[in-house]
Amino acid sequence: MALRGSANRRRAGGVAAIEFAIVFPLLFAVVLGIVYYGMVLALQQVLTLAAEEGARAALRYPLTANGGTLATTLGQRVIAADLAARSTLPPNIANRFAAGSLAQAVACSAPPGTQCVQVTLDLPTQTFLPVVPFVPVPASLTGVAVVQLSPDT
């Protein structure tokens, strides 16, 4: 009788190993997908935060700070936005953008005659994230922020 019980236990152990071998790849794929998409979402959040900080930095220069010329103030605001966005990013991401390429002055849609500063960070994911088979990711992640400058400041 003792032999019969131990044979059943060995079979149950073998069945558990087979079940584990079947379920483990699926469970591993789900965990890997969660971690990978978590990295993608965190990277998107970093880009959006850096764009917002750059746009906010464009508001720090009043018109009277440099003698009152609108063109030089706008230039200073664009430079400040670029530097703030770049300094908000981690160094390994900031080095992927050319200097002076993150912010630019654009015409606002309304009211007419006002200026805006737009900060755009576009990061191709193929050069930054590891390639995982059967896991679709966007071609690039983008963070954009626009701030409207007051005409009198």
Side-chain angles (χ1 to χ4, degrees):
M1 197 66 132
L3 293 176
R4 183 180 230 178
S6 88
N8 283 339
R9 274 189 235 123
R10 272 187 268 147
R11 281 192 205 129
V15 169
I18 291 172
E19 288 175 355
F20 179 76
I22 292 172
V23 173
F24 178 73
L26 180 62
L27 183 64
F28 184 72
V30 169
V31 170
L32 183 68
I34 290 170
V35 170
Y36 193 76
Y37 281 116
M39 287 175 36
V40 170
L41 293 174
L43 186 57
Q44 176 64 51
Q45 189 65 25
V46 165
L47 293 175
T48 302
L49 174 69
E52 290 172 354
E53 287 299 319
R56 193 172 295 119
L59 298 174
R60 293 188 191 137
Y61 287 94
L63 185 60
T64 58
N66 57 12
T69 61
L70 186 61
T72 55
T73 301
L74 184 60
Q76 284 184 342
R77 288 176 169 180
V78 168
I79 291 169
D82 185 81
L83 290 175
R86 189 174 306 282
S87 67
T88 304
L89 293 171
N92 62 336
I93 298 174
N95 294 337
R96 296 180 183 268
F97 297 104
S101 66
L102 302 181
Q104 63 271 359
V106 295
C108 294
S109 57
T114 57
Q115 285 288 323
C116 288
V117 173
Q118 179 176 352
V119 181
T120 305
L121 294 100
D122 189 21
L123 184 67
T125 55
Q126 290 84 8
T127 62
F128 195 73
L129 294 172
V131 177
V132 177
F134 307 112
V135 178
V137 293
S140 67
L141 298 175
T142 304
V144 178
V146 178
V147 64
Q148 181 177 354
L149 305 174
S150 175
D152 57 344
T153 60

